[in-house]
Amino acid sequence: MCEEHMTESVFEPPGARRTEPSFPRRPAEVREAVERAVSERCRATHLPFDTHALADALLVASELTTNAILHGGGVTDFQVDVSGPAVRLSVSDRSDELPVSLPATTPGGRRRPGGHGWPIVCRLSRDVRVSDLPAGGKCITAVVPLF
């Protein structure tokens, strides 16, 4: 397998002023960036990818982004790297709080709405890491197999 990879990130020349973020911040934008990175890598290496595996990667990207918006104070950075047989997704947010899994039901036995995103990320990813950021907040990196 070829070890080429693609990265989509924020790099600007010194002194450049940014009025809007140049990285995706919404789930739909993140999914588009992941699909584009996987497609470009597979086209460049002439390797097919499993459409079900790509769907898993898109779901993980969407869940990480949604969780950053709902629980982390918003997306502060996003990166996608396609390397070997996997895609690595990194989503940063403003919160220092670690993600948690909630029980599906309340103590009274009623179904709890929401709370499915983090278990989905953990189930579909080969590796998940949460890192503290030096200026505060965290970065969650998930590696999802593509083949």
Side-chain angles (χ1 to χ4, degrees):
M1 224 15 86
C2 183
E3 288 301 315
E4 292 178 320
H5 67 277
M6 298 189 60
T7 301
E8 189 161 306
S9 186
V10 180
F11 293 104
E12 297 177 3
R17 296 188 131 211
R18 201 167 45 163
T19 56
E20 292 193 23
S22 59
F23 59 88
R25 288 185 176 240
R26 296 189 324 245
E29 295 168 344
V30 166
R31 287 190 303 270
E32 288 172 8
V34 171
E35 192 162 20
R36 184 173 52 252
V38 170
S39 295
E40 288 174 4
R41 188 236 179 216
C42 289
R43 202 172 18 257
T45 59
H46 306 289
L47 292 173
F49 59 87
D50 181 334
T51 56
H52 295 291
L54 177 59
D56 289 349
L58 296 175
L59 181 55
V60 168
S62 186
E63 290 296 340
L64 288 174
T65 306
T66 300
N67 286 349
I69 293 167
L70 293 177
H71 309 293
V75 176
T76 58
D77 193 19
F78 169 77
Q79 293 185 9
V80 56
D81 300 317
V82 183
S83 178
V87 60
R88 184 178 58 155
L89 309 163
S90 297
V91 177
S92 300
D93 64 38
R94 292 178 175 85
S95 174
D96 295 325
E97 296 293 319
L98 296 175
V100 295
S101 294
L102 298 174
T105 59
T106 65
R110 299 186 71 179
R111 289 195 50 79
R112 183 186 313 268
H116 304 289
W118 185 242
I120 288 171
V121 168
C122 293
R123 186 168 294 128
L124 296 178
S125 301
R126 180 177 69 205
D127 185 34
V128 180
R129 295 175 191 248
V130 181
S131 306
D132 292 327
L133 297 173
K138 67 182 170 299
C139 177
I140 299 178
T141 301
V143 177
V144 183
L146 285 176
F147 304 100

